[in-house]
Amino acid sequence: VINGTESTTLPLAPAFSAMALDISEKSSITAVSYINGRAWYGVNHPSFNLAFSQIKSDEAVLSGAPDISVRSLSACYQATDPNAPELNNLVDTDGGTASLRDVGKILKIVGYRNYVLLFASNGVWSISSGSGGSFVPTSFSVDKLTTDGITSNQHVIETQDRIYYISKNQLNVIEATQNKDRVSLVVQDISTGTLKQGVANLLLSAN
């Protein structure tokens, strides 16, 4: 939702790649984040612009378990062979890659509530689970929240209740609103007058 307007659900084209692709070797990474047991990557690649690892428990990552490594968190693929005649289904813990239509260069990836937020050069997108819980590759949706993107990954501020970010010339806030049993994300411009001019001056001085 953008200032009261319904957001647009974008199709994936294509859906997920099941090949064993090591992001660290094959692609140019533009953003990295660790959210709910998965490593997420914004990627410059001919076939996709987003990748996520197989899910790892937070306890395993914090304890330095032997199977947790840079390689295991950057190999984004499903556990089973998708070409196998049997046992080839995608499961909730699998990793994968996706080509998100119209999304520019992804500069920041943030976890907020049960959403994964993608801050790109040309807007902000949200990824949510079809079940309302944490992201799973078997059921999810992608929504464009706004065309007001960021120019630096340093321009996003995370708090417990809201996400603030600076776009080209204004300060925005993203927050969740409850409407009966439905939760929606709202993006609002909270910079007016002197504050908006101050943000513009700050960005000009930083460039």
Side-chain angles (χ1 to χ4, degrees):
V1 176
I2 310 170
N3 295 331
T5 304
E6 286 291 331
S7 58
T8 302
T9 300
L10 301 180
L12 296 182
F16 287 94
S17 166
M19 59 184 176
L21 178 65
D22 191 327
I23 298 301
S24 64
E25 295 179 359
K26 300 286 186 179
S27 310
S28 173
I29 298 173
T30 61
V32 179
S33 188
Y34 181 78
I35 303 170
N36 294 332
R38 298 182 190 273
W40 289 81
Y41 304 90
V43 186
N44 277 335
H45 188 279
S47 301
F48 58 90
N49 52 9
L50 181 70
F52 56 90
S53 71
Q54 295 179 17
I55 196 165
K56 303 290 183 180
S57 69
D58 290 335
E59 292 80 5
V61 172
L62 293 174
S63 66
D67 65 327
I68 302 298
S69 66
V70 171
R71 180 168 294 276
S72 68
L73 291 176
S74 64
C76 301
Y77 55 91
Q78 71 182 74
T80 58
D81 182 355
N83 298 315
E86 297 180 357
L87 300 176
N88 58 5
N89 293 335
L90 190 71
V91 297
D92 289 348
T93 56
D94 279 338
T97 63
S99 176
L100 303 182
R101 187 180 301 174
D102 299 329
V103 177
K105 182 179 180 180
I106 299 173
L107 299 172
K108 185 80 172 181
I109 304 174
V110 172
Y112 174 60
R113 302 289 182 94
N114 288 327
Y115 296 89
V116 176
L117 300 181
L118 309 177
F119 291 84
S121 57
N122 63 338
V124 181
W125 281 258
S126 70
I127 301 176
S128 57
S129 170
S131 63
S134 299
F135 167 84
V136 291
T138 54
S139 176
F140 69 97
S141 64
V142 180
D143 297 293
K144 185 176 184 178
L145 301 180
T146 176
T147 57
D148 208 15
I150 62 175
T151 58
S152 169
N153 60 8
Q154 300 297 315
H155 293 168
V156 180
I157 302 172
E158 303 174 50
T159 71
Q160 183 175 356
D161 299 322
R162 299 173 181 86
I163 305 294
Y164 298 89
Y165 77 96
I166 300 173
S167 62
K168 292 181 179 179
N169 60 1
Q170 64 191 39
L171 177 63
N172 298 315
V173 62
I174 301 174
E175 57 185 335
T177 60
Q178 184 81 38
N179 184 9
K180 294 183 179 180
D181 59 345
R182 181 183 178 185
V183 177
S184 300
L185 295 182
V186 176
V187 182
Q188 291 184 322
D189 173 10
I190 58 173
S191 56
T192 58
T194 303
L195 179 57
K196 179 171 287 190
Q197 184 60 50
V199 171
N201 292 339
L202 178 62
L203 292 177
L204 286 174
S205 64
N207 294 330

